[in-house]
Amino acid sequence: MKESKTMEIEKYQEAVEHIAENHKNVFFENRGSDHASIVLANLIRHSKEEVKIFTEKLDDVVFSLAACEDSLEDFINKSEKKMQVLLEKQPEVMSSALKKVMDAKKKYPSRFQIKIATQECLDAMHETFEGMGHFALADNSSYRIEVDCKNFKAICNFNDPKLVSGFSKLFSHFFNKAPIYSA
């Protein structure tokens, strides 16, 4: 059973990497923390300029898996790309991924920003995107948008500028109004 799950994950990873590398306009779903980690790793790795993330806390269940952790490390240490993180709320405990991004913010303040969403933002997000939750955007074309946060179920695409444009404008609007996160 474990071997078949491992094979399924490897096949999923190969497929996502192919879609990401070729910036294909292919709509696909993912579910579970393993799939979430693979998609987010590819969003981060294949971004050219920036990544925007609306999340509860950069959950270690997703970001501590090897693929995502490696992509985040490379993003921080081997690129000039920018990252904006909008946290849904003040985390009770800082995840290791959030700690890495906080450390990166101290080292590279022009590249990393972390803020806490206002209640106005949360209300608008829930009203505008009924049932949708956290999301990640890369550049002006790639996304992973959760439709079920508890089960990490999401819709994804690596070349959909029209959808990303709307989410990016909304993200920027609320990010600019949000207070800076400090641990």
Side-chain angles (χ1 to χ4, degrees):
M1 181 75 163
K2 184 170 174 87
E3 188 174 304
S4 66
K5 179 165 171 70
T6 301
M7 286 184 63
E8 182 268 329
I9 293 295
E10 287 173 2
K11 285 181 180 181
Y12 186 81
Q13 185 164 349
E14 285 176 22
V16 171
E17 286 175 5
H18 176 75
I19 293 167
E21 285 171 4
N22 295 291
H23 298 284
K24 294 201 174 249
N25 185 0
V26 176
F27 174 85
F28 63 99
E29 295 182 357
N30 82 204
R31 70 176 54 95
S33 58
D34 289 335
H35 285 188
S37 182
I38 290 166
V39 172
L40 288 166
N42 278 280
L43 278 171
I44 292 167
R45 183 179 317 114
H46 293 287
S47 65
K48 292 180 176 33
E49 295 178 21
E50 69 178 349
V51 172
K52 298 177 179 181
I53 301 173
F54 173 61
T55 183
E56 183 179 349
K57 60 184 174 189
L58 294 180
D59 199 327
D60 279 337
V61 172
V62 172
F63 282 90
S64 68
L65 297 175
C68 206
E69 194 169 50
D70 291 346
S71 290
L72 185 58
E73 287 287 336
D74 287 349
F75 186 97
I76 291 168
N77 297 312
K78 298 179 183 175
S79 79
E80 293 300 315
K81 299 181 257 189
K82 296 181 179 184
M83 181 177 283
Q84 294 179 324
V85 177
L86 184 58
L87 299 171
E88 188 174 0
K89 59 185 177 185
Q90 182 81 27
E92 292 177 22
V93 176
M94 190 183 305
S95 68
S96 62
L98 183 54
K99 182 171 179 1
K100 284 180 188 176
V101 175
M102 284 294 293
D103 291 344
K105 180 183 170 204
K106 291 173 188 164
K107 193 172 181 181
Y108 309 107
S110 65
R111 291 181 44 218
F112 294 88
Q113 295 178 296
I114 307 166
K115 295 186 174 185
I116 303 285
T118 63
Q119 190 60 50
E120 174 192 8
C121 167
L122 298 176
D123 292 345
M125 294 284 198
H126 294 297
E127 183 179 314
T128 305
F129 304 113
E130 296 172 30
M132 292 186 187
H134 308 132
F135 59 87
L137 311 170
D139 301 323
N140 296 313
S141 61
S142 304
Y143 64 82
R144 179 183 180 277
I145 302 167
E146 285 187 339
V147 295
D148 176 354
C149 295
K150 289 181 181 145
N151 296 303
F152 301 99
K153 187 174 180 185
I155 55 174
C156 315
N157 193 313
F158 282 90
N159 191 6
D160 187 351
K162 188 174 180 180
L163 189 133
V164 172
S165 175
F167 271 86
S168 186
K169 286 176 187 172
L170 185 69
F171 179 94
S172 294
H173 173 76
F174 289 113
F175 191 83
N176 292 334
K177 291 180 171 187
I180 294 171
Y181 170 71
S182 57

